[in-house]
Structure formats: C-alpha cells, structure tokens
Amino acid sequence: MYCCQRCIRMLLGNVSVHPPRNGVTLPQQHLSIHTTTRKNVLSSHFILHGGRIQPRIPLVRSRVGTLQGLCDSAAVKISHQIKPSDNDDTLARNIVPYEQAQTTSRKPHLTEIPALLELEGEPRLSPLEEISNEEAVQIIVPHALPPSSNSLRAYVDQSETLSKLVQLGVDLWRLEQRRNVGSMLVRLDFEADVAPRLLFLNDLGVQDHQLGHIITTNPFILTEDLDNLKARVSYLKSKMFSAESVASMVQKAPYLLNFSVKRLDNRLGFYQESLALNPAKTRDLITRLPRLLCGSLEPVKENLKVYELQFGFRKGEIQHMVTKVPKLLTANKTKLTKIFDYMHNTMGIPQHLISKFPQVLNSSFLRMKERHLFLKYLGRAQYNPAEPNYISLDRLVTLPDGEFCASVALATVEDFECFQKTL
C-alpha cells in the first residue's frame, strides 16, 4: 500500500522506531505507536481524505521499508526523497519510492481484468473525431418530435397516429383549435388506442368514409374505454333499437356513446313521460334526432312550457308537433316566439292550424315574411282551408322561389325579386 506525504510526516513526528539490533534487520518488525497517536493520525487522515478510513491493520516495516494499512491514495506518488528528522535517520534511509516498492508485487489495474473489460463496452467516439463518408451514411438518427408547436402539421410526418387519421379524412386543423385535443392525439398510440375503436365503429355499421367526420366531431371517443362503448351499444339494442338505427344515431350524434348507460336511460324515460309517447314513438323520435340524448334537458323543458303556456297549444298538439318535427324541442326560444307572434297576430292563423304544419316554426322568419307580403300585395294571402284560393302553410315556407312563384303566387321570379327590393 502507499501513504501520502502528509501522513508520513505525521508518523515521523509521532512514531518511535526501534532500530535493528547488531546490524541485522528484523523482518516484519512492528512499529510502536501509542493509542493516542494512532487516533490522531486516523482522525487527521479522515479529514484529509474525504472521510475514507481504512481498516486497522498493524503498521509493518518490511525489508523495503513500505508502510501498509494507513491510507489508500492511488493518485499521488512520491516523486522526491523525503527528508526525515535528525532522530529518524534509519527510517529515512529505509524509505524507498512507490514504483520500486511495487515492482515485485503489483496489483492488476481494474482495466486489466477481462470481466470488467467486457462490462465497459465499446468506447464512445469523440464528437470531434473525423469519420469517413461510408460511416456517416450508416449513422441512423431517430426523428425527434418538436417539443412544442402551434399546429399539428409539425407532428404528422413523425406520428403514425396523426398520419393515419389524416388518411381517414380527419380535419386536424379543426381539432388543433380545440383545447388540449392536439396534445391528446399526439400521445395516442395507433395500434393500442386508435385501431381497436375504429374497428369497433366499423363493426357497429359505420362506413369507412364516415369515420373521419365522427372523429373530427368527437375525438374523445378514441380515449373511451372499449368495454364501456360496448355496454352502451348493448343497452340501446336492449331497448329495441336496431343495429342500423344505432349506427345512424352514432353518425348523427358522435357524442352519443360518450355518455353512461344511466344517463341514456334517464333521457329515454324523460321523453317518454313528458310527451306521453309509447315506446315505438319514443324510439322513432330518438332515432331521428339522437342528439336529444346528448344535450341538456333544460332547453327542452323550457320549450315545452313555451308551447303550452305562452303559445296555448294543448298537450296532444305538442305531441303531434314534436313527433313530426323533433327539432322543435331544441329550437331557439327567441326565434320560436318571433315566428309564432307574426303568424298568429299578423297573418291571423289560429293555433290549431299552426299545429298541423309545425314545420313553419322551424323555417326562416325572413322568407315567410317576404312571401306573405308578396301574396298580400297580389291579393292571394288566403290561409283558411274553408275558403277558396287556400294556400297551405307548408307550401308557403318549403317550396323554392321558382316553384312558389309559379304555383302559389302565379307570378314570375323577376316580379318577386323586384318586390323584395321595395321592402
């Protein structure tokens, strides 16, 4: 073992050395070190060498004069002759350099052990080392995703999920405008997350060209649990919805399968009880407008009160109106009030006649007003079915301008356009 210079100097000042007797060197003669001196030396060694204290091995003076068991400093070497004190001439003459002492018994370095050489592996190349063109061509650098971006375009080439969604017809530019949707899509794995849900929709009856619209409208269906999706489809089929009806409902309302079975059951029960519908009419209502199961019930409840209390329709008339035009349940209240007020108070049409043609409440107010004024200008505004020249409210609001002018107003389109300019 090798000792640092500072520890040797401490030993020289505190160790009593017994010289050889009769000129004969005693092999492995122990150095006499007091207990207090040993503690001081070890304490000093602990401070000088970062807290590493070697096991207490007796200090031995061998034939070559090396000191063993004090410290283990592999980085420092004695490069010059140590000058001992006057009382320690014998010890000074017997101390030899470290290189000479280790010539006979040298421990192998760690790098010389074959097992450690195998663990180290190949040395790393320096970034400044020159390589040939052939080696440069063989270097494969993986494509790294940009750390951040304002558009999903930067990730399409590196993300299999995004590239496959583009092939399906998903509008990524719409999805990236929605909060946290872009980062969600980038983290999805196509084989593990996207493909099983696409196959599920395909087995449900959704066509391939419709998958893009569904995912664009509801990208969160890609994160829904597959077992939950199957359970909701099974519930709808248990309520006698056909497989074609379920597929049509999912296409019209992509968020339908995101709601729990309990919510779907509550919605179906509400419409059946509030409108006094039988199961067949309830299924027909929901199939034609499946977003009734997705939205809030408050606008629906408010519209039902408006029809009954404000407009004066009876419950049977309301039932007929909403089953014929389901959109009346979710129509804007302000628009409904404006159209009904004009028809009932200005055109003089009673409630029971309006209930027979509920589509007028879902039409354009401006179109209805312009056509009524044009018929009034021509003297043909007659909406009473009991009188001659009766004009149906259905034909008033649903026919295109050309057919309306030819069959209802008995005028030309140019006359109607000239009249519109006077309004």
Side-chain angles (χ1 to χ4, degrees):
M1 302 298 291
Y2 173 69
C3 299
C4 63
Q5 298 181 18
R6 187 171 300 180
C7 296
I8 292 176
R9 290 172 183 169
M10 295 176 63
L11 287 173
L12 293 177
N14 296 280
V15 179
S16 300
V17 181
H18 298 278
R21 298 178 180 178
N22 300 326
V24 179
T25 303
L26 298 178
Q28 298 183 354
Q29 183 175 1
H30 293 279
L31 301 178
S32 299
I33 304 178
H34 297 288
T35 304
T36 305
T37 303
R38 181 183 295 118
K39 291 182 179 180
N40 294 338
V41 172
L42 292 177
S43 300
S44 302
H45 180 79
F46 180 85
I47 297 175
L48 293 175
H49 299 282
R52 298 191 301 272
I53 300 180
Q54 303 298 326
R56 295 186 177 182
I57 302 175
L59 300 179
V60 180
R61 181 185 176 185
S62 62
R63 291 182 303 155
V64 294
T66 58
L67 298 178
Q68 301 179 358
L70 183 62
C71 61
D72 186 13
S73 178
V76 182
K77 297 183 295 182
I78 301 178
S79 58
H80 59 278
Q81 184 73 21
I82 301 177
K83 296 181 179 181
S85 60
D86 297 336
N87 298 327
D88 300 312
D89 294 338
T90 305
L91 179 62
R93 287 193 300 268
N94 292 331
I95 294 179
V96 298
Y98 175 75
E99 291 83 352
Q100 299 179 9
Q102 295 296 326
T103 52
T104 57
S105 61
R106 184 176 64 87
K107 294 182 178 180
H109 195 267
L110 292 178
T111 58
E112 300 178 6
I113 303 177
L116 295 179
L117 287 175
E118 295 179 358
L119 294 176
E120 288 182 358
E122 297 181 358
R124 296 182 179 180
L125 297 177
S126 172
L128 301 179
E129 183 178 352
E130 295 184 0
I131 60 177
S132 62
N133 295 334
E134 291 76 7
E135 295 175 342
V137 172
Q138 297 176 359
I139 296 178
I140 300 176
V141 180
H143 296 283
L145 293 176
S148 61
S149 177
N150 295 327
S151 175
L152 290 175
R153 179 185 299 179
Y155 300 92
V156 173
D157 294 336
Q158 290 81 16
S159 175
E160 180 186 5
T161 300
L162 296 181
S163 61
K164 294 293 181 61
L165 291 179
V166 170
Q167 296 176 11
L168 289 173
V170 179
D171 296 332
L172 296 182
W173 66 273
R174 294 182 183 273
L175 296 180
E176 67 186 10
Q177 297 176 1
R178 303 172 63 177
R179 186 176 181 181
N180 298 330
V181 174
S183 58
M184 178 195 72
L185 294 177
V186 172
R187 292 193 298 266
L188 291 179
D189 182 78
F190 184 81
E191 297 296 334
D193 303 324
V194 181
R197 286 150 185 83
L198 294 179
L199 294 176
F200 166 77
L201 294 175
N202 197 262
D203 296 338
L204 190 62
V206 179
Q207 301 298 323
D208 294 343
H209 66 276
Q210 297 169 337
L211 293 174
H213 166 70
I214 293 176
I215 298 176
T216 301
T217 306
N218 178 26
F220 303 103
I221 197 173
L222 300 178
T223 59
E224 284 288 330
D225 186 76
L226 199 58
D227 294 335
N228 293 336
L229 296 176
K230 295 179 180 179
R232 293 157 192 172
V233 171
S234 300
Y235 167 77
L236 293 175
K237 291 182 178 180
S238 68
K239 296 299 180 180
M240 305 305 294
F241 286 94
S242 62
E244 294 78 9
S245 299
V246 175
S248 176
M249 292 164 60
V250 172
Q251 295 170 15
K252 295 178 181 178
Y255 277 97
L256 178 64
L257 297 182
N258 285 50
F259 299 102
S260 63
V261 173
K262 183 178 180 181
R263 180 187 175 104
L264 297 177
D265 186 70
N266 291 337
R267 293 294 191 276
L268 289 175
F270 168 79
Y271 291 112
Q272 185 172 0
E273 295 176 3
S274 301
L275 302 175
L277 301 175
N278 56 37
K281 289 186 176 180
T282 304
R283 286 193 296 269
D284 180 71
L285 176 69
I286 299 302
T287 303
R288 295 169 61 190
L289 192 65
R291 58 188 177 92
L292 291 174
L293 299 179
C294 304
S296 175
L297 293 178
E298 295 303 323
V300 177
K301 295 178 180 179
E302 189 174 359
N303 284 351
L304 292 177
K305 291 181 180 179
V306 168
Y307 294 139
E308 183 178 3
L309 302 178
Q310 187 173 345
F311 296 168
F313 293 111
R314 293 175 294 181
K315 290 188 177 180
E317 295 174 339
I318 297 175
Q319 183 189 76
H320 170 75
M321 292 168 57
V322 298
T323 53
K324 195 171 184 180
V325 185
K327 289 185 178 180
L328 292 179
L329 291 172
T330 58
N332 184 268
K333 176 185 174 181
T334 304
K335 177 185 175 181
L336 290 174
T337 305
K338 189 176 182 179
I339 293 177
F340 179 83
D341 180 70
Y342 188 84
M343 293 181 63
H344 183 66
N345 299 322
T346 303
M347 298 173 61
I349 303 176
Q351 289 94 333
H352 71 276
L353 190 59
I354 297 176
S355 64
K356 293 181 180 180
F357 304 97
Q359 58 270 23
V360 297
L361 296 175
N362 194 43
S363 61
S364 171
F365 172 77
L366 181 60
R367 169 182 286 190
M368 181 188 63
K369 181 180 178 180
E370 289 177 348
R371 292 185 176 186
H372 166 70
L373 293 177
F374 184 59
L375 293 175
K376 186 178 180 180
Y377 172 76
L378 298 176
R380 300 183 56 82
Q382 175 55 256
Y383 308 109
N384 189 353
E387 297 182 4
N389 299 325
Y390 164 70
I391 296 178
S392 172
L393 296 178
D394 186 19
R395 291 167 59 86
L396 177 67
V397 298
T398 58
L399 294 178
D401 289 344
E403 188 175 351
F404 166 77
C405 294
S407 61
V408 178
L410 302 179
T412 61
V413 178
E414 291 77 10
D415 295 336
F416 181 55
E417 292 177 351
C418 292
F419 177 79
Q420 288 177 322
K421 295 178 181 179
T422 62
L423 298 179

